[in-house]
Amino acid sequence: MNGENHGVDAMPSSAAPAHEPGPAPLARRLAMPLATLAGVAAAFAYVGSVDPNEPGHYPVCPLLRFTGIYCPGCGGLRSAHAFIHGDLTTALGANAVAVVGYGIFAVVWLMWLIRAVRGEPLRIAPAPAWWWSLGGVLLIFSVVRNLPFGSLLAP
């Protein structure tokens, strides 16, 4: 065993594999961003056509039902309904955090689409501090909207 190659055929280091995988075809790269957009558009179309301001169409928030406390999502369906109908003032009044979320979704989705066209993966990996900050903002939003001076934020 003097470092000899006993019967094992080694490929020279300069030889490339027979087939190197390239980027996926454009249609395949766009499938997930477009499917995601279709799902979100379908959800918004449903909420836009079935008014959440009329009782009986959607379930009541369990936290609101049992405690009378507004959660960060309370008013989200009314916000989406108003947003779809172009009433930004009502949408912000129903749930301002949701409206900000629509904007963030649009920006991230557009980045995803552009990177998919270019054949680049979308990597979003915020540091834990960002997640803690987001949680803190949602907690503060929830507390303030349930206090008398924060009634402007209540749905």
Side-chain angles (χ1 to χ4, degrees), residues 125-155:
W130 284 100
W131 291 113
W132 284 103
S133 298
L134 176 63
V137 166
L138 291 176
L139 179 64
I140 291 167
F141 174 73
S142 298
V143 169
V144 169
R145 76 190 313 210
N146 284 288
L147 295 174
F149 67 85
S151 62
L152 183 63
L153 295 175

Side-chain angles (χ1 to χ4, degrees), residues 1 4 21 33-34 36 39 46 61 64 67 72 92 99 106 112 118 135 143:
M1 301 284 201
E4 297 176 30
L34 294 178
T36 300
Y46 180 79
C61 171
L64 181 61
T67 67
L92 284 166
V99 175
W112 186 15
R118 292 179 180 169
V143 169

Side-chain angles (χ1 to χ4, degrees), residues 14-112:
S14 63
H19 178 267
E20 285 194 28
L26 182 62
R28 186 171 179 195
R29 294 191 316 257
L30 294 179
M32 286 307 295
L34 294 178
T36 300
L37 182 63
V40 170
F44 267 88
Y46 180 79
V47 172
S49 63
V50 180
D51 191 354
N53 294 302
E54 296 179 17
H57 293 293
Y58 300 97
V60 177
C61 171
L63 184 67
L64 181 61
R65 171 180 256 167
F66 296 119
T67 67
I69 296 173
Y70 296 119
C71 76
C74 280
L77 289 173
R78 290 186 294 268
S79 175
H81 182 79
F83 189 81
I84 285 293
H85 290 278
D87 189 355
L88 189 58
T89 304
T90 301
L92 284 166
N95 192 322
V97 168
V99 175
V100 170
Y102 309 150
I104 291 170
F105 171 80
V107 168
V108 170
W109 183 84
L110 191 59
M111 287 174 29
W112 186 15

